[in-house]
Amino acid sequence: MKNIVAGREPVTATEFIELALGIDLELFTGTPTESQMERAARLDVAHEVLAELRESDPETAAYAESLMRTLPLKQPRPSSRRPRRTVRRPVNGYAAGSAVAA
């Protein structure tokens, strides 16, 4: 049996939750690439949505609030590591281009 919510068929569990509860999970969890300004704006909207949800659907509001506490996405850190170097290994124990005396 297929699960269809609001005329749409969710592919992942996350999509099913979003469709069933009517909330955008990314609004409460954020994205790894968001800037500090984007994060502040997202949290402002999330708090407004939570206030409305508390009045209309306290159970969904509790779930959304728990998302904000338990699933914070880490901010990306600038990489200070150098890129990996590729090491070529000799084939069959011989260095490439070396002649073998018989």
Side-chain angles (χ1 to χ4, degrees):
M1 176 179 219
K2 293 182 179 182
N3 292 314
I4 298 177
V5 179
R8 298 180 71 192
E9 185 176 340
V11 177
T12 65
T14 302
E15 289 178 358
F16 184 81
I17 291 169
E18 287 178 346
L19 289 171
L21 297 178
I23 61 172
D24 179 12
L25 297 182
E26 197 173 276
L27 175 64
F28 299 100
T29 60
T31 63
T33 58
E34 70 184 353
S35 68
Q36 290 297 325
M37 186 182 293
E38 291 169 330
R39 182 176 188 273
R42 178 185 56 78
L43 287 175
D44 284 345
V45 172
H47 287 294
E48 289 179 22
V49 170
L50 271 175
E52 292 177 17
L53 276 175
R54 284 185 188 112
E55 293 175 11
S56 64
D57 189 353
E59 194 172 314
T60 302
Y63 175 72
E65 197 167 17
S66 72
L67 287 174
M68 292 178 73
R69 284 193 313 266
T70 59
L71 296 176
L73 295 176
K74 296 179 182 177
Q75 296 296 321
R77 295 183 185 176
S79 179
S80 60
R81 294 176 50 186
R82 295 189 326 213
R84 283 182 123 175
R85 294 172 61 189
T86 304
V87 178
R88 295 195 180 253
R89 298 215 162 109
V91 179
N92 297 328
Y94 297 105
S98 64
V100 178

